[in-house]
Amino acid sequence: MDRFDVIVVGLGAMGAAAVWQLARRGVRVLGVDQYSPPHALGSSHGDTRITRLAIGEGAHYSPLAARSHALWREIEAETGADLMTTTGMLLISSSATRASVHVPHFFRNTLEAADLHGVDHERLDADEMRRRFPQFAVADEELGYYEPGAGFLRPEACIEAQLTLARRHGAVIRTGARLQSLAETGGGVRVEAGGQAFEAGRVLLCLGAWLPEQLPAARRGLFTVRRQVLYWFAVDRPELFDPARCPVFIWELPVADRVIYGFPAVDGPSGGVKVATEQQGVATHPRDVDRSVAPSEAAETHRDCIAPFLPAVSDRLIKAAACLYTVTPDAGFVVDRLGDSDRVTVVSACSGHGFKHSAALGEAVADRALGASAPLIDLDAVRWARFGR
Ligand SMILES: Cc1cc2nc3c(=O)[nH]c(=O)nc-3n(C[C@H](O)[C@H](O)[C@H](O)COP(=O)(O)OP(=O)(O)OC[C@H]3O[C@@H](n4cnc5c(N)ncnc54)[C@H](O)[C@@H]3O)c2cc1C
């Protein structure tokens, strides 16, 4: 049986970061995935992810985002990959809206997080938004938060680059190897995956939307997996969506409970602009989820959530994709023991806002697995204990 210091199971956003961080520390590490990441069956596909520094879901996450920005630049320098583009981010809201991103008071929390962590930003009124960002048909009562250091990440390239670096530093990567069993032995943890048995001192479970099925029943129910749909629409005035003049955006719409977010035309006008809503619909499972997108779904989203607010985004659909959020009751992360011992750590899919933090989260969990401190992560905020389980 092959023996490793650490085994990382799941090599999406979280696992790819963790396996690279472990490999660069010189430990013997195995990374295992049921598929061949990056892939389009979990939570880390769809060309782009927003990254921002003032974190409205919880100001304690801001240091992770800032550290991740430094790491993305380091990975770019080491691999030559293009991972992060700074476009600025415009967050639009109003006191009249009932919508809020992931948590209550997201807009206010974002302003407070920016002040707390000294994140460069501007507060804009409707006239100023119309003057600077004519792509957005804002109403008089809407307010803007503009963060110039925000932008977008290329998730598939981030995963690919970190797996490349992990291999370069000696990590063993097994793809097409599904986790079959996990058991603590006297001296470590025995892992069976892809028909082979391995042993390690520590295991990190970074299973994304598949994590709940590995948990005891009492904790499984803390996660809800929801289908999310991403749309790429053609634009009528491409010059408005050039990344040089169009920020990434998040909009708490003035219509009931709807949030949209989106990106400039990151692959030129022929690639269209990606816009998505946040779906609160029925719970699903990665095994059963409908990954196709009906034309009627796209037409309805365009009519209700895009046309009134982004008038230069046409209803010509270029492509669409379904993706998975795995959300806890407080929309926070879980990084904690699987059971009673420190040997197996769970790293959750992070409730629909984890990608921007994944590089630093991988670093933090690698340090923890090796018994070092991980000062950037607020451990109390990410433990099971906050749910009383
Ligand atoms: C539509 C959408 C939009 C988002 N937008 C943003 C955004 O703008 N900004 C942001 O910061 N975050 C965003 N997020 C959240 C972010 O993308 C996720 O937090 C992150 O991708 C989760 O990564 P993960 O590694 O947990 O999951 P994944 O990347 O899905 O990786 C899990 C891996 O585990 C493997 N696995 C599972 N079970 C097993 C098993 N039994 N054996 C072996 N391997 C297994 C899977 O094959 C998979 O490769 C978004 C998410 C979605 C879905």
Side-chain angles (χ1 to χ4, degrees), residues 9-16 32-35 37 39 41-45 48-52 153 159 177-180 193 206-211 213-214 226 228-230 261 263 274 276 278 323-325 347-358:
V9 190
L11 300 174
M14 308 304 159
V32 170
D33 200 285
Q34 61 187 345
Y35 302 123
H39 59 77
L41 299 168
S43 306
S44 301
H45 57 283
T48 46
R49 290 290 183 272
I50 291 177
T51 181
R52 49 191 156 88
L153 296 161
I159 291 171
R178 186 171 163 72
L179 174 69
Q180 289 151 326
C206 307
L207 301 176
W210 291 264
L211 175 66
E213 65 193 33
Q214 299 295 335
R226 290 212 170 87
Q228 305 293 322
V229 183
L230 308 166
Y261 63 91
F263 301 81
K274 177 177 145 188
E278 299 225 290
C323 194
L324 297 168
Y325 273 8
V347 184
S348 76
C350 299
S351 297
H353 60 103
F355 203 94
K356 70 181 77 56
H357 305 292
S358 58

Side-chain angles (χ1 to χ4, degrees), residues 62-384:
S62 285
L64 279 176
R67 174 65 186 148
S68 293
H69 277 205
L71 285 167
W72 301 127
R73 292 300 184 217
E74 205 179 305
I75 300 164
E76 285 179 331
E78 285 200 40
T79 60
D82 176 12
L83 304 183
M84 182 169 71
T85 303
T86 304
T87 57
M89 178 198 70
L90 182 63
L91 167 62
I92 307 170
S93 190
S94 69
S95 53
T97 184
R98 297 202 334 255
S100 194
V101 180
H102 300 144
V103 295
H105 311 300
F106 177 83
F107 186 81
R108 191 180 75 199
N109 296 348
T110 298
L111 291 169
E112 289 175 2
D115 289 338
L116 183 69
H117 292 287
V119 176
D120 191 15
H121 68 282
E122 294 173 71
R123 298 174 189 216
L124 308 178
D125 64 18
D127 284 341
E128 187 66 3
M129 285 192 278
R130 288 185 195 115
R131 192 181 67 73
R132 286 170 56 180
F133 304 114
Q135 307 86 340
F136 306 100
V138 296
D140 289 343
E141 65 278 13
E142 287 185 303
L143 297 170
Y145 163 91
Y146 179 68
E147 188 182 295
F152 67 88
L153 296 161
R154 299 278 193 173
E156 293 89 347
C158 290
I159 291 171
E160 183 82 62
Q162 289 172 105
L163 292 179
T164 298
L165 288 177
R167 286 191 182 95
R168 222 182 261 172
H169 284 85
V172 178
I173 304 293
R174 291 280 157 81
T175 55
R178 186 171 163 72
L179 174 69
Q180 289 151 326
S181 71
L182 184 76
E184 289 202 32
T185 60
V189 187
R190 183 189 152 94
V191 171
E192 278 183 17
Q196 262 187 282
F198 307 95
E199 203 169 50
R202 293 274 189 281
V203 171
L204 300 177
L205 290 182
C206 307
L207 301 176
W210 291 264
L211 175 66
E213 65 193 33
Q214 299 295 335
L215 299 176
R219 288 180 175 162
R220 197 177 307 147
L222 291 171
F223 295 93
T224 307
V225 178
R226 290 212 170 87
R227 174 179 177 269
Q228 305 293 322
V229 183
L230 308 166
Y231 302 98
W232 288 256
F233 288 103
V235 288
D236 290 332
R237 293 181 58 200
E239 74 281 4
L240 289 179
F241 296 95
D242 186 307
R245 62 180 298 205
C246 180
V248 298
F249 61 93
I250 304 176
W251 198 334
E252 295 176 338
L253 295 180
V255 292
D257 292 336
R258 301 307 292 265
V259 169
I260 58 170
Y261 63 91
F263 301 81
V266 302
D267 293 316
S270 63
V273 300
K274 177 177 145 188
V275 186
T277 60
E278 299 225 290
Q279 321 274 312
Q280 307 302 333
V282 289
T284 184
H285 185 281
R287 185 189 51 234
D288 308 323
V289 65
D290 181 2
R291 290 192 168 83
S292 63
V293 179
S296 58
E297 215 177 341
E300 196 181 305
T301 301
H302 186 274
R303 183 196 65 210
D304 295 344
C305 298
I306 298 177
F309 307 103
L310 296 159
V313 174
S314 86
D315 61 0
R316 295 190 306 282
L317 186 68
I318 293 176
K319 63 175 180 172
C323 194
L324 297 168
Y325 273 8
T326 306
V327 183
T328 60
D330 63 3
F333 302 175
V334 174
V335 180
D336 205 345
R337 296 166 162 188
L338 176 69
D340 292 335
S341 90
D342 263 339
R343 290 202 181 275
V344 184
T345 298
V346 161
V347 184
S348 76
C350 299
S351 297
H353 60 103
F355 203 94
K356 70 181 77 56
H357 305 292
S358 58
L361 202 49
E363 183 181 55
V365 296
D367 282 337
R368 280 195 72 209
L370 301 179
S373 68
L376 288 183
I377 183 168
D378 176 353
L379 288 173
D380 287 336
V382 295
R383 286 204 171 103
W384 300 115

